[in-house]
Amino acid sequence: MIAPTDPSPDASNTVRAHVAAVAAMLNADLSTLVGEMRASLASEIAELNSEPSLIDLLGSSIEGNVDTILHALQYNIGEDGFEPPAAAFEYARRLAQWGVSVNALVRAYRLGQQFLIGRAFETSLAIDTSDSIRVRAHDLIVDSVFDYIDWISQRVVVVYETERESWLADRENARLDAVLDLLGGTGSVKSVERVTGYRLHGRHLAVVAWTDGATIRDDRLRRFTTSIRSLAGELGSPVPPLVVGRDGATAWGWIQITDGDAVAVFDRLNSRPRTADAPLLAAGTVATGADGFVHSHQQAQRAHHVAVLGRRGRSIERYDDPGLAVVDLCAHDPSALQAWVLDVLGPELAADTDQSERLRTTLRVYLACERSLTAAASVMTMHKNSIRYRVDNAEKLLPTPISGNRLAVEVALTACHWLGARVLTDDQLVPQHKL
């Protein structure tokens, strides 16, 4: 049975003396204590055991913290007298640079606290004193160690988070610079691979991810990365994609492709409902090696250009979708393109109305099917007489017969398909007909 607590000043002094004795005994064999604690933490937390230099620095951090705690216990130093060990801050910075989670850092302090208290109790048992003094001394040690761990852990977390933000920003800037240099013809494959860890041999699919800017969120790059990684998974990519942030609303990505039908994957993604704030994607075509890395990216940018102008809102647009490349070439001056479309299609067929759009879509599909009513009806799942009716009505609205102007008509219809209202005439300027 534990003796009742003695509140007398003499007892308090005895408790203090016992705590000091425990701390002195532990400090006398500090190197052994630190080595055992380091081994325990490295075995308990796998993230701390991944790199030899981190393990060595862990030992230095432990030594600095334990030495501070033991001196505080031995000489009755309060929180105002604490000095954070330089090694503890450096260890926090290094973990941030290696991408070790902050949870692992905090857990190391909690487990270290548990380990040290356990050793302190074992040491206390080896010193002759009453149970009452031992209990009070143990309580004092527990409280003091807790206060220090609470104090230092708050500070190392701040150091970790500051370093992590700085490191990520510097690394992201270095990654972007290396990619931009390669895309601009002045960089090297080795530089990109060294900075990003992404290999440029093999086959690549480049993508552009962006948001429409309707909502401002700080986690855009994370969402872009998640979206591009999800696409890589759908495509069966064997390695993580390369993702770099281009600006606050746009990211570029490259996905390693081995085999499979990318078009089928794109069609499947576009058939799914899209959440309002999900990133939009534009893709190039699959290409090989460093040249393919650049070429596919250029295509993805052109697909992005058309998608932003057209605002169709599909989950992913692809450069090799029929007509997109031609529209990109025409769309660098939207005002001039709109005037040309109006000349080719006439004000009624180029009107921004549902009825006019039905006629344009039918005529575009009909021409793409080599003017086969049966084929067009199959594509649009309509009766071929309905196709004929719409085509006849559309042709009547053309300023020039298709027979002498087919290429221009097809390009104009394709521009309307991809760019919509950007190249259409205000529906208030044209008469309305039942079509």
Side-chain angles (χ1 to χ4, degrees):
M1 182 175 179
I2 298 175
T5 300
D6 184 352
S8 67
D10 289 343
S12 296
N13 291 334
T14 305
V15 169
R16 284 289 178 191
H18 185 75
V19 169
V22 169
M25 288 184 66
L26 289 172
N27 210 18
D29 197 15
L30 181 62
S31 60
T32 301
L33 176 63
V34 168
E36 291 175 351
M37 186 183 294
R38 181 182 67 180
S40 175
L41 295 182
S43 65
E44 288 280 344
I45 308 174
E47 290 177 272
L48 304 183
N49 199 22
S50 59
E51 166 62 28
S53 64
L54 290 182
I55 296 175
D56 290 341
L57 193 53
L58 171 62
S60 298
S61 176
I62 291 171
E63 182 175 357
N65 283 307
V66 171
D67 185 60
T68 300
I69 292 171
L70 294 180
H71 273 86
L73 291 173
Q74 189 172 356
Y75 300 107
N76 195 23
I77 300 172
E79 181 177 319
D80 292 341
F82 291 158
E83 289 290 339
F89 282 1
E90 181 57 29
Y91 185 62
R93 293 189 188 96
R94 195 74 61 84
L95 291 184
Q97 294 166 5
W98 276 82
V100 176
S101 71
V102 70
N103 289 335
L105 175 62
V106 173
R107 187 167 177 239
Y109 274 91
R110 297 308 179 197
L111 292 177
Q113 172 186 350
Q114 183 182 47
F115 185 96
L116 181 59
I117 289 173
R119 285 303 176 87
F121 186 67
E122 293 173 4
T123 303
S124 173
L125 292 175
I127 300 174
D128 185 30
T129 191
S130 69
D131 288 343
S132 173
I133 295 299
R134 200 184 317 280
V135 168
R136 291 180 61 186
H138 181 68
D139 287 345
L140 182 58
I141 291 171
V142 170
D143 289 345
S144 297
V145 173
F146 174 85
D147 287 344
Y148 176 81
I149 295 298
D150 182 61
W151 176 85
I152 190 65
S153 60
Q154 292 180 58
R155 282 155 179 77
V156 295
V157 165
V158 170
V159 170
Y160 175 98
E161 292 178 342
T162 301
E163 180 65 20
R164 187 64 181 159
E165 290 176 5
S166 175
W167 181 262
L168 288 175
D170 290 344
R171 188 184 69 170
E172 190 60 33
N173 288 337
R175 284 156 55 93
L176 178 59
D177 288 344
V179 168
L180 286 173
D181 287 345
L182 184 67
L183 295 175
T186 60
S188 69
V189 171
K190 288 184 179 180
S191 177
V192 171
E193 292 185 339
R194 176 179 56 81
V195 173
T196 68
Y198 181 86
R199 303 303 173 207
L200 270 66
H201 65 274
R203 303 166 70 233
H204 315 276
L205 174 75
V207 294
V208 174
W210 77 99
T211 61
D212 59 11
T215 56
I216 303 299
R217 292 180 57 166
D218 294 332
D219 61 346
R220 281 177 172 171
L221 183 57
R222 180 187 62 79
R223 292 192 297 135
F224 293 152
T225 301
T226 299
S227 183
I228 293 172
R229 284 181 176 173
S230 176
L231 176 59
E234 296 273 0
L235 292 168
S237 178
V239 296
L242 167 61
V243 182
V244 295
R246 184 62 185 94
D247 56 38
T250 311
W252 295 343
W254 286 264
I255 299 170
Q256 290 272 357
I257 300 292
T258 52
D259 51 27
D261 186 358
V263 173
V265 172
F266 296 157
D267 289 343
R268 185 167 67 248
L269 292 176
N270 279 327
S271 69
R272 298 174 184 170
R274 174 181 168 267
T275 57
D277 64 345
L280 297 162
L281 299 174
T285 60
V286 178
T288 304
D291 290 341
F293 180 92
V294 175
H295 185 59
S296 184
H297 173 71
Q298 292 169 341
Q299 293 176 331
Q301 283 190 300
R302 294 183 183 115
H304 171 237
H305 174 231
V306 173
V308 169
L309 286 177
R311 297 181 179 273
R312 290 170 14 123
R314 299 207 310 169
S315 295
I316 186 164
E317 299 288 9
R318 56 188 179 90
Y319 178 77
D320 59 352
D321 209 336
L324 186 146
V326 172
V327 171
D328 172 65
L329 294 174
C330 301
H332 291 276
D333 187 344
S335 296
L337 180 60
Q338 182 185 45
W340 179 79
V341 167
L342 180 62
D343 288 341
V344 173
L345 299 183
E348 293 185 80
L349 194 55
D352 188 12
T353 66
D354 292 341
Q355 298 96 323
S356 295
E357 198 209 324
R358 282 193 290 271
L359 293 187
R360 288 193 301 270
T361 300
T362 306
L363 183 57
R364 177 175 55 82
V365 172
Y366 170 69
L367 293 174
C369 292
E370 296 301 326
R371 307 188 76 166
S372 167
L373 292 172
T374 301
S378 176
V379 171
M380 298 189 68
T381 62
M382 293 173 59
H383 194 279
K384 67 179 183 180
N385 286 340
S386 298
I387 299 292
R388 178 185 290 112
Y389 175 77
R390 290 188 183 180
V391 168
D392 288 345
N393 277 286
E395 288 187 313
K396 291 175 183 177
L397 299 176
L398 291 172
T400 304
I402 286 181
S403 58
N405 201 30
R406 176 171 172 173
L407 178 59
V409 170
E410 286 194 271
V411 172
L413 291 171
T414 302
C416 293
H417 169 69
W418 281 103
L419 303 181
R422 293 298 297 266
V423 294
L424 295 174
T425 305
D426 191 333
D427 60 1
Q428 296 180 6
L429 302 180
V430 298
Q432 301 295 304
H433 298 287
K434 183 178 180 180
L435 303 173

